[in-house]
Amino acid sequence: MTSSPLRLRVQKVDRGESTASSELPVARLWVDTGLSHLEPTYDYLVPQSLDTAISVGVKVLVDFSGRKVDAFVIDRVNSSSVGNLKFIEKVTSPVPLLTSEIIALVTAVARRWGAVPSEILSAAIPPRVISVEKDVTESSTSELLSARNQSPSHSYYLFTPGEDPFHTIAEWVKRRGDQGGVLVVLPELREVHSLANELTLLDVDFSVLDASLARTTRYSNFLQVATGESKIVIGTRSAIFAPVSNLQTIVIFREGSESHYERRTPGWNVRDVAIIRSQLAAIDLTFSGFAPSSELSLLIESEAIALKGKSAQVDATSYPQVQGELLPDRIFSPIRSALTRGSVLFLVPRKGYSQAISCTSCRNIGLCECGGRIYFGGPDKGFICSLCNVTTAEWSCKWCKKSSPNLLGRGNLRYAQEIGRAFPGFVVISSDATHAVHQIENPHTIVLSTAGMAPVVRGGYQAVVILEGDNLFSQLDLRAQERAREAIMQSATLLSPNGKALVVIDNAHPIVAALSRWNLSPLLSRELREREQTQLPPLVHAIVIEITHSDAPTFLSGITSSIREGRVPGSTRILGPTRIDEEYSRVILTVSRDHGQDLFDFLVTYRKKRGIAKKSIPRMRIDPYVLSHSL
């Protein structure tokens, strides 16, 4: 048998296009390298065949160190200082998703929070849905430019009792929509729905941007905004980056809410991003709510932000607890009187039935076998582990074996039972984030609500009772007073014109006078002076660093010597380290507001050098919501 001669099989290899565009052949890209210590901006050549498709804001695919990664075009230029450039391989999204304004905003935000653009873009741009892009016409993707107001307004609007905040904002949107694009950012989805209902009643066209939307709907809405088809946008946190065409007005509702703080790294917040965006593009900015955060209070005090709102007064009375009782004796009479005229709202500090249990006999806290704390969910739910969720109908102390639980930390469900017994004959309703009540049918109802979850009653409540007022203000973190102020003021806005605010709190507490005059300024000023004396936020910037125990001494030594040598601002103060778990310690750095960016840049360089050296990179958050949370 004769064997056939061997033949080499010829394969044609596509080496890629080698001809660059004749005009502006270099594209400057933000490349998603996935590594925060690498530079984010790289130059690539624009193939002649893709010249018309590659414009500022489009998404492309490139080869980066042998990997195919996504990138955004942020500019096209004539030349590059880098030689031997690679070609862009593909346009993955032909619709420009970034405008020049958003590119400038993302750049500023990334520097402010010590991040790379890709970390910001992951929140700013929703996941792509290819089928949705097919319906977008090319002619609608141009960015509209218009003259900007060179003196944009910055204000805080304080809502007053009887005023529907969503109706007021909807009227602002309708009026300002005639002048250009409008963006409204709210902390919670339920508030987005409330504003959407008001805008619909006013026959205003708008788009909603929220992560809870179906992926297709969210991307479709985003493209409507990016192409200029929709010029009025409402949404939650990430909507602050929406590429609204001809944006003239930004409204932020309840700017101090924790929901306005990005949970993922790098932890930016809506309030500060809105201020940056307003300054960069000369956009009118209005904050609105029931009590400003300490950061905004500082800006109001310095007159950088104007305080606006209608004058108002509230009939407010304090009822101090004598022996820790839920309702002091003197408060029963005004509550009964209010119930004869209409409904009464009780603001409660916590939801649920109890937060924990202890043994009545030996006083030990009830713990599950897994180590989690046990709480009582109510007669119909039994005893539940807060960690593993194991539920039992009965409980016995693992120490003394007795079955006599003492319930710790009342929740709204337990309050409902106790208050229902105190005022028999009335319907009792509980409303919280888990079980929200939107409408009250009975005109004489007792409503127990956690902060911000009270249903609106036609004509307003005849009385609003603030339970455990002292405890509201005495939580450990620095934001406790802000949350308490906002919860109390927001509840008081639901009063009828003749309604009364009954506050279970010490007679000397200034919140009662603030309620009565509807004027928080003295209270806010006093708190700012206290922060000034202790050099705590917002009078200073705060950076939380979580670093391994072994690296902490070297880091602290380096910061100390850098301060001494002038490489780090002299106002830098070191707090810690504090051990937070088996591996990490927490260090808090504070620095004057004038020199914050210098310290931020120093820490970013430090983290990059460690990344390049393949050492562990400390976790970092700049100006987080609270200083004690794990990153």
Side-chain angles (χ1 to χ4, degrees), residues 82-108:
V82 180
N84 196 26
L85 297 179
K86 296 179 181 179
F87 279 88
I88 292 174
E89 298 195 355
K90 181 181 179 182
V91 175
T92 55
S93 180
V95 181
L97 302 178
L98 296 175
T99 63
S100 57
E101 179 197 331
I102 300 302
I103 290 171
L105 176 63
V106 170
T107 300

Side-chain angles (χ1 to χ4, degrees), residues 186-188 237 254 256-263 270 625:
L186 308 97
E188 305 293 344
R237 189 168 59 234
R254 295 203 304 113
S257 169
E258 186 174 5
S259 295
H260 277 312
Y261 281 70
E262 174 62 32
R263 293 177 176 85
V270 169
Y625 178 73

Side-chain angles (χ1 to χ4, degrees), residues 61-130:
L61 190 72
V62 297
D63 183 309
F64 185 84
S65 297
R67 295 183 296 125
K68 307 302 182 188
V69 298
D70 290 324
F72 279 97
V73 179
I74 60 171
D75 199 4
R76 290 211 28 192
V77 295
N78 280 313
S79 61
S80 173
S81 59
V82 180
N84 196 26
L85 297 179
K86 296 179 181 179
F87 279 88
I88 292 174
E89 298 195 355
K90 181 181 179 182
V91 175
T92 55
S93 180
V95 181
L97 302 178
L98 296 175
T99 63
S100 57
E101 179 197 331
I102 300 302
I103 290 171
L105 176 63
V106 170
T107 300
V109 170
R111 186 177 180 218
R112 166 66 174 79
W113 277 276
V116 292
S118 59
E119 291 174 318
I120 311 299
L121 293 173
S122 64
I125 299 176
R128 183 187 180 213
V129 179
I130 298 175

Side-chain angles (χ1 to χ4, degrees), residues 88-365:
I88 292 174
E89 298 195 355
K90 181 181 179 182
V91 175
T92 55
S93 180
V95 181
L97 302 178
L98 296 175
T99 63
S100 57
E101 179 197 331
I102 300 302
I103 290 171
L105 176 63
V106 170
T107 300
V109 170
R111 186 177 180 218
R112 166 66 174 79
W113 277 276
V116 292
S118 59
E119 291 174 318
I120 311 299
L121 293 173
S122 64
I125 299 176
R128 183 187 180 213
V129 179
I130 298 175
S131 60
V132 175
E133 291 179 346
K134 295 177 181 178
D135 299 327
V136 179
T137 57
E138 247 182 83
S139 59
S140 65
T141 61
S142 60
E143 180 182 353
L144 300 178
L145 300 176
S146 62
R148 291 289 190 188
N149 176 13
Q150 295 307 307
S151 300
S153 64
H154 296 139
S155 61
Y156 183 92
Y157 184 88
L158 181 66
F159 294 108
T160 49
E163 185 174 12
D164 183 341
F166 304 109
H167 181 72
T168 298
I169 294 174
E171 289 186 326
W172 294 345
V173 171
K174 184 176 178 65
R175 185 169 62 250
R176 294 286 301 184
D178 295 334
Q179 303 174 29
V182 181
L183 171 62
V184 184
V185 185
L186 308 97
E188 305 293 344
L189 183 58
R190 66 177 184 276
E191 295 165 334
V192 173
H193 290 160
S194 296
L195 179 57
N197 292 337
E198 292 292 336
L199 290 171
T200 301
L201 292 174
L202 293 177
D203 198 28
V204 175
D205 292 328
F206 61 92
S207 290
V208 176
L209 293 180
D210 181 79
S212 68
L213 294 171
R215 184 168 171 161
T216 299
T217 303
R218 184 185 178 194
Y219 195 61
S220 177
N221 290 358
F222 183 83
L223 290 185
Q224 288 178 357
V225 177
T227 58
E229 184 179 341
S230 181
K231 295 180 174 61
I232 294 177
V233 177
I234 67 173
T236 50
R237 189 168 59 234
S238 60
I240 190 61
F241 295 101
V244 182
S245 178
N246 190 26
L247 181 60
Q248 299 287 334
T249 305
I250 298 175
V251 178
I252 310 298
F253 181 59
R254 295 203 304 113
E255 47 77 32
S257 169
E258 186 174 5
S259 295
H260 277 312
Y261 281 70
E262 174 62 32
R263 293 177 176 85
R264 296 172 294 181
T265 299
W268 49 267
N269 68 77
V270 169
R271 175 189 55 250
D272 290 348
V273 173
I275 292 173
I276 292 171
R277 187 168 187 179
S278 171
Q279 293 171 337
L280 286 175
I283 301 167
D284 290 334
L285 173 60
T286 297
F287 295 101
S288 61
F290 311 97
S293 65
S294 57
E295 287 86 354
L296 222 55
S297 299
L298 186 62
L299 293 174
I300 292 171
E301 185 178 73
S302 66
E303 299 184 349
I305 288 181
L307 180 60
K308 296 184 178 181
K310 304 169 186 174
S311 60
Q313 289 185 333
V314 173
D315 185 350
T317 308
S318 62
Y319 296 86
Q321 292 174 309
V322 178
Q323 310 234 343
E325 66 277 18
L326 176 60
L327 293 172
D329 288 340
R330 291 191 305 114
I331 206 172
F332 281 84
S333 179
I335 293 175
R336 290 193 185 100
S337 176
L339 284 170
T340 62
R341 301 191 304 274
S343 296
V344 173
L345 170 65
F346 288 80
L347 176 67
V348 301
R350 296 168 294 273
K351 68 177 182 178
Y353 198 89
S354 76
Q355 303 302 299
I357 62 172
S358 67
C359 178
T360 304
S361 177
C362 68
R363 299 298 180 182
N364 278 305
I365 297 294

